[in-house]
Amino acid sequence: ILDLSQAMLDKINIPGAELVCDDARSMDKIEDVSVDVVLCSLCLHHISGSTYKKSCENMRNVIVSAKKS
């Protein structure tokens, strides 16, 4: 689970969940092709312009099924 707010992550109690405090605009702490699902909720409307496109590219890059052959 990725959130920009450590305070929000501290409220999560899901056994086995990896909690990552990072920005969806960079996602530097998540390796490419390392997650099965990306669910983006309540954040994209805060991102605009070229940063929006980069955020979407970052989300695609971390998804395992997006691995290029």
Side-chain angles (χ1 to χ4, degrees):
I1 300 172
L2 179 137
D3 199 298
L4 185 57
S5 167
Q6 185 62 51
M8 291 302 290
L9 290 171
D10 291 343
K11 296 178 181 187
I12 297 171
N13 183 16
I14 301 174
E18 183 176 345
L19 306 178
V20 179
C21 187
D22 201 1
D23 192 322
R25 294 171 291 188
S26 65
M27 296 179 69
D28 293 332
K29 297 179 182 175
I30 300 178
E31 293 182 37
D32 287 353
V33 295
S34 65
V35 301
D36 296 318
V37 175
V38 171
L39 173 65
C40 185
S41 178
L42 305 173
C43 71
L44 286 179
H45 65 280
H46 293 288
I47 303 170
S48 62
S50 62
T51 307
Y52 180 89
K53 181 178 179 183
K54 182 64 177 167
S55 299
C56 292
E57 289 171 357
N58 289 337
M59 288 181 239
R60 184 183 188 288
N61 290 339
V62 300
I63 299 173
V64 171
S65 64
K67 182 179 178 181
K68 296 178 182 175
S69 301

